[in-house]
Amino acid sequence: MVVVGTAKNTGKTTAFNALCAVAGRRGIAIAVTSLGRDGEPADALDGEAKPRVRFAAGTLVALPAGLVPRTPALAILESGGPTALGAVVFARAMLPVTCEIGGPPTARAMRSVVRRLTALTDGPVLVDGAIDRIAPLAGGDDAIVLAAGAASGATVSAVAATAAETVARLQLPGRDPSRERARVVAIDGALDAGSAQDLIAHAAGATVVVNDPTRVTVRGALLAALRDAVDLRCERPLRIVACTTSPLGRGVALSAELLVKAVAQATGLPAFDVVSDLAATPMPNGATP
Amino acid sequence: MSIDDVTAARIGDDWLRAAVAPAGAFGRRYDETAPAYGPGDEGRASEEIAECVALAQQLAPAALDRLRGALRAVPEPTPIVVRARAGDVLGDVDFYELARFAGTLDELARLWNDAGGTHERTPTRVERLRSLLAPGRDGDGFYLADAFGSGLRAARAELLRAENDLELQRRSIAERVRETLGVVPPGDEFVVMRDLHPDPLPPELRLVRETPAYRVVTFELQTDARDGGFARVAAAEEAARRELSSRIAAEHDDVIAATRALGALDHVLARAAFVQRWGGCVPEFASAIAFEDGILAPLAEQLAARGRRYTPLTLELPGVAVLTGPNMGGKSAALATTGFLCACAALGIPPPARAARLPLLERIVWLGGDDSARQTRLLSSYADEVVRARDVLATASARCLILVDEFARTTGPREGRALLIALLEALRSRGAFALAATHFDGVAEAAKVTHLRIAGLSVATFAALDARDLDAALDAINAAMDYRIVAAEAPDSASDALALAELLGFDRTVVARARALYERPADEPPARG
């Protein structure tokens, strides 16, 4: 399961910690890693305090050697490929531990780390992710949780709209030969604004296939126009299962209840506020419970 | 031994070094510090080469592959023990890597014994290092176990108790929150809505942030015991690491010695693998160059990749010799083979030959022939050759091998021939080894040096050939060519140039006219019309 955010400071690590805590309460052994670098006390860019990452005893963790905490000591199980902070180390927490986590720099290496964690544990693998780095996880059966928060919009509707657009973009359907149009256009690489305009002009009605949803870099009205014009699909789909919401942003405080309902309705996915203990599911008629 | 870049490329020295590259980092480091053998090193060179040959015979190829694979996987302990000796307190990943290093050496020793390796080369083990780290070994992993420090067990138990107490506090506060506010806190931090709970917060909650609609609060936990416990665990773990690091520092020399022994083993196993692939002999070191069935391995590899067969060469070069023979007969390959086998000996690599008598040389130089690198320079081909020849002559000695490939072919033939003869006379007078391939007639006789020639095209076979495409022509030439080197019985240097031109599809009427011109007596005037 991978947690990604619609923007920075949208509650991704808080949601990640909540998942770890739930697993701990239920006695489920988990394995964790990160697609970037998470759990540092303050944001490296803006100095804002950030939630720490804390694991229960028994948690399996993949992290760079340079981030292995001195105390309490981890049991080092094995080491793997390189990262900027040393080799990836697979370790087990022997006591509850707070530490930073990170992962390898390439998609291939991340796939390898997740595979290894899966082999080393009986429980689920949780990945503190990054929306621009989830391509390596496409095509598998990994579940993705999208963290949406006030950091991505000043109003409830703006946050919900951003979440909805992100979900729509990442939930690109997989290729289905039985439903393909007569003309199929395969896009090798990114589908950007220029290629979107070309496709609208010259490939209307065709099935357009990208490698995975992260290759679609076009946004907003142009993306909507493209999806109206062509049957947009991908070779390796992503599976987004839920959203989390964070009503607090820098100088912004939204209604937690309204936000969780709006995000659920806009994305069509169950939404949770793990701090306020709120949940909402989308209703067919537009209402939410 | 000195070999310049041009020569290294021509005789396959670059290929050779890559072919005997060790599998692991220790072997590569060993290679970097192992100089080539030179005059006076015959005993040591012979010993190393003999060991390579013996290992190649002794170890099954699969076992040799396994050993080299294990050498490739040995982790690098050097920076860790260097840091320990400098006084650093090592980390748990360092201990893990050192434990892995010790374990890999045990595995290597086991593989070595299983393969029937000699006692003398049995991979060194680092028993004391392994024993030091043994309490932390759990399978293949490492944990700074309680056994590493007297206070560790107690400190960790205390921390665990404090963590459990903290958890009880959390549950207790959560229960009070549920009772007083009707909220089930999802974690330490949660939201209290103002409209539902306008009253002051319970004392167990601390305000983190507030808005007109709600307050973000967190549990007010009594963490002193946990923080103190954490500090005591931190101190005990660091003390254990410091003690272990200090003991590891004392193993520095043994660990470094073990890596050197691994490097030497990797070095010799790479050469043994080379022998298993290409064959190799223990040469007799002498002031002569002679070999039977010598193989220019890089050429043999290229030919094999194209489905062609390589013909091993036999050659005796007492000092200076001229090599003549047909185009495409392998004159340049014979020069390269001679240099390649001498380079093998100098590097302690068994020369791929059935038998060999070779000197340990100070220098091998290639002179002449095509060199695309030269074309970017300002000097003409001829000028470049002359400059190289000038430098060669200035330092030529009895410990030099000069491989002369069609020297002076780009200048006037009379003057070129004269210059080549004079060059060979000069090299002979300096006692150097030299083998000169040329199409000039009578050079060996004029320079009073040995005349060898490539046996050449078999006329009987050749007559039956009628190749119409280049591949077929090359196959035909290969089949018709006798690549053996034999003593020349006549001073001319027949090149079979006209026959080869015809075989390569050159216009037959033009070839016929050329043949008529070639066979006409020298004093007959050219025909008119």
Side-chain angles (χ1 to χ4, degrees):
Chain A
M1 181 176 287
V2 189
V3 184
V4 300
T6 55
K8 273 180 72 68
N9 302 321
T10 53
K12 177 170 65 78
T13 302
T14 300
F16 180 80
N17 276 340
L19 286 167
C20 292
V22 166
R25 282 200 294 275
R26 295 186 182 180
I28 299 170
I30 56 168
V32 297
T33 189
S34 168
L35 278 171
R37 183 172 175 177
D38 295 286
E40 63 270 42
D43 191 285
L45 293 177
D46 58 20
E48 279 279 295
K50 295 191 70 177
R52 308 301 307 274
V53 177
R54 185 170 170 79
F55 308 122
T59 302
L60 189 67
V61 55
L63 72 177
L67 295 182
V68 171
R70 301 289 284 199
T71 299
L74 302 180
I76 312 296
L77 305 179
E78 56 187 62
S79 59
T83 76
L85 293 168
V88 171
V89 170
F90 298 86
R92 192 178 299 284
M94 305 299 281
L95 289 167
V97 61
T98 301
C99 66
E100 291 181 49
I101 54 173
T106 67
R108 187 175 177 183
M110 177 45 81
R111 268 197 299 272
S112 167
V113 165
V114 170
R115 267 201 305 272
R116 192 66 197 129
L117 284 174
T118 305
L120 287 169
T121 183
D122 295 330
V125 177
L126 301 185
V127 181
D128 198 338
I131 202 160
D132 54 345
R133 294 192 200 166
I134 52 173
L137 303 168
D141 57 357
D142 305 296
I144 293 171
V145 174
L146 181 72
S152 69
T155 63
V156 166
S157 57
V159 174
T162 301
E165 184 187 73
T166 307
V167 168
R169 188 162 49 85
L170 296 182
Q171 273 190 328
L172 210 55
R175 195 168 179 178
D176 180 357
S178 67
R179 293 185 175 183
E180 270 175 12
R181 311 268 173 85
R183 185 180 172 200
V184 177
V185 179
I187 304 292
D188 186 18
L191 197 167
D192 57 13
S195 44
Q197 284 174 325
D198 282 351
L199 289 166
I200 292 168
H202 304 297
T207 292
V208 173
V209 183
V210 294
N211 187 284
D212 65 72
T214 65
R215 305 299 174 98
V216 181
T217 61
V218 58
R219 302 279 191 277
L222 185 56
L223 176 59
L226 177 67
R227 297 190 81 155
D228 284 345
V230 304
D231 172 33
L232 188 57
R233 289 177 179 273
C234 67
E235 295 282 2
R236 301 187 304 132
L238 293 165
R239 193 163 68 97
I240 305 180
V241 297
C243 293
T244 64
T245 56
S246 168
L248 302 178
R250 190 178 288 177
V252 179
L254 306 175
S255 160
E257 194 169 0
L258 290 179
L259 183 64
V260 75
K261 287 177 178 174
V263 167
Q265 198 55 40
T267 60
L269 294 169
F272 304 88
D273 181 328
V274 296
V275 173
S276 304
D277 197 24
L278 297 170
T281 50
M283 300 296 284
N285 61 1
T288 51
Chain B
M1 185 188 60
S2 159
I3 297 178
D4 61 40
D5 290 347
V6 171
T7 306
R10 298 307 295 259
I11 69 171
D13 185 66
D14 297 340
W15 181 94
L16 178 62
R17 287 173 191 269
V20 296
F26 307 117
R28 288 193 289 276
R29 204 180 303 155
Y30 182 91
D31 266 16
E32 285 166 10
T33 57
Y37 293 115
D41 296 330
E42 286 79 4
R44 288 191 301 125
S46 189
E47 197 175 309
E48 179 175 345
I49 291 173
E51 185 183 15
C52 296
V53 171
L55 281 172
Q57 292 167 347
Q58 185 182 14
L59 302 173
L64 184 51
D65 277 353
R66 278 194 294 274
L67 282 163
R68 298 192 74 204
L71 280 163
R72 196 176 292 120
V74 179
E76 173 62 89
T78 309
I80 302 174
V81 292
V82 166
R83 280 171 41 224
R85 193 162 76 164
D88 272 1
V89 178
L90 301 176
D92 298 347
V93 178
D94 298 322
F95 299 137
Y96 164 78
E97 292 294 345
L98 288 177
R100 206 158 68 86
F101 173 72
T104 313
L105 294 197
D106 291 346
E107 173 64 8
L108 256 175
R110 188 188 64 74
L111 286 174
W112 183 256
N113 291 333
D114 290 352
T118 57
H119 175 70
E120 297 75 30
R121 277 285 183 192
T122 300
T124 312
R125 295 187 188 192
V126 281
E127 301 279 6
R128 279 198 306 272
L129 180 69
R130 192 183 50 174
S131 299
L132 280 176
L133 297 164
R137 290 295 263 172
D138 176 17
D140 292 332
F142 178 86
Y143 177 56
L144 190 71
D146 294 345
F148 283 108
S150 56
L152 262 178
R153 182 188 300 273
R156 284 172 171 162
E158 183 191 337
L159 176 59
L160 193 57
R161 275 196 300 276
E163 290 280 7
N164 290 339
D165 288 347
L166 212 53
E167 188 56 33
L168 290 176
Q169 274 190 61
R170 282 194 187 93
R171 288 181 192 172
S172 167
I173 294 172
E175 182 58 26
R176 270 185 55 78
V177 168
R178 192 184 64 78
E179 287 170 359
T180 56
L181 302 179
V183 171
V184 180
D188 286 7
E189 192 173 289
F190 62 102
V191 168
V192 179
M193 305 304 289
R194 282 188 190 278
D195 54 348
L196 297 176
H197 310 288
D199 299 332
L201 293 169
E204 297 91 344
L205 297 182
R206 179 162 52 85
L207 184 66
V208 175
R209 198 167 179 175
E210 58 185 330
T211 76
Y214 54 78
R215 289 171 286 189
V216 178
V217 298
T218 188
F219 292 170
E220 191 72 81
L221 296 166
Q222 299 303 312
T223 62
D224 294 352
R226 198 275 310 271
D227 295 346
F230 184 87
R232 279 184 283 282
V233 168
E237 287 185 340
E238 279 309 285
R241 289 190 186 104
R242 188 173 299 109
E243 171 66 18
L244 189 52
S245 301
S246 153
R247 291 185 176 192
I248 284 168
E251 302 305 313
H252 170 278
D253 292 350
D254 279 0
V255 169
I256 298 300
T259 61
R260 286 192 182 132
L262 283 176
L265 179 65
D266 197 359
H267 171 89
V268 79
L269 288 183
R271 283 153 166 72
F274 177 85
V275 175
Q276 287 188 343
R277 170 76 177 83
W278 297 106
C281 66
V282 183
E284 175 191 339
F285 286 107
S287 294
I289 294 176
F291 51 85
E292 290 175 37
D293 291 339
I295 295 174
L296 180 58
L299 178 59
E301 185 177 73
Q302 275 182 27
L303 290 173
R306 294 173 194 172
R308 298 185 189 280
R309 187 174 54 86
Y310 174 83
T311 306
L313 289 179
T314 296
L315 172 75
E316 184 158 357
L317 180 65
V320 178
V322 168
L323 178 62
T324 59
N327 292 98
M328 304 179 71
K331 293 190 297 299
S332 298
L335 265 57
T337 306
T338 308
F340 179 76
L341 297 180
C342 288
C344 283
L347 292 173
I349 300 165
R354 196 149 61 84
R357 277 188 299 133
L358 300 169
L360 285 176
L361 299 165
E362 287 173 347
R363 193 175 177 207
I364 301 176
V365 187
W366 187 280
L367 193 58
D370 291 329
D371 178 17
S372 55
R374 274 201 317 238
Q375 290 169 6
T376 60
R377 294 170 49 176
L378 293 176
L379 294 176
S380 70
S381 297
Y382 175 71
D384 192 88
E385 273 187 342
V386 169
V387 169
R388 271 178 77 80
R390 178 198 67 189
D391 296 343
V392 166
L393 268 182
T395 55
S397 72
R399 290 297 187 177
C400 290
L401 169 63
I402 322 296
L403 301 163
V404 186
D405 191 14
E406 299 191 34
F407 179 72
R409 69 176 184 159
T410 56
T411 189
R414 281 191 62 205
E415 287 178 285
R417 175 178 176 276
L419 194 57
L420 176 58
I421 292 167
L423 172 66
L424 296 180
E425 286 173 347
L427 291 175
R428 191 191 62 194
S429 71
R430 284 162 171 73
F433 291 99
L435 182 58
T438 184
H439 289 286
F440 294 141
D441 287 338
V443 172
E445 292 70 21
K448 296 184 174 53
V449 298
T450 304
H451 186 181
L452 305 170
R453 69 175 177 85
I454 303 292
L457 286 172
S458 158
V459 175
T461 313
F462 171 66
L465 298 173
D466 183 21
R468 295 184 190 282
D469 65 65
L470 192 57
D471 259 353
L474 292 175
D475 284 342
I477 292 167
N478 193 34
M481 189 68 74
D482 182 347
Y483 293 100
R484 285 178 306 124
I485 296 170
V486 296
E489 291 165 358
D492 68 83
S493 59
S495 303
D496 292 329
L498 300 180
L500 285 165
E502 188 171 0
L503 193 57
L504 289 166
F506 205 71
D507 189 306
R508 288 189 175 201
T509 57
V510 176
V511 174
R513 170 66 180 150
R515 187 165 283 122
L517 289 170
Y518 176 69
E519 289 170 354
R520 190 179 61 207
D523 55 353
E524 184 180 317
R528 292 182 181 276

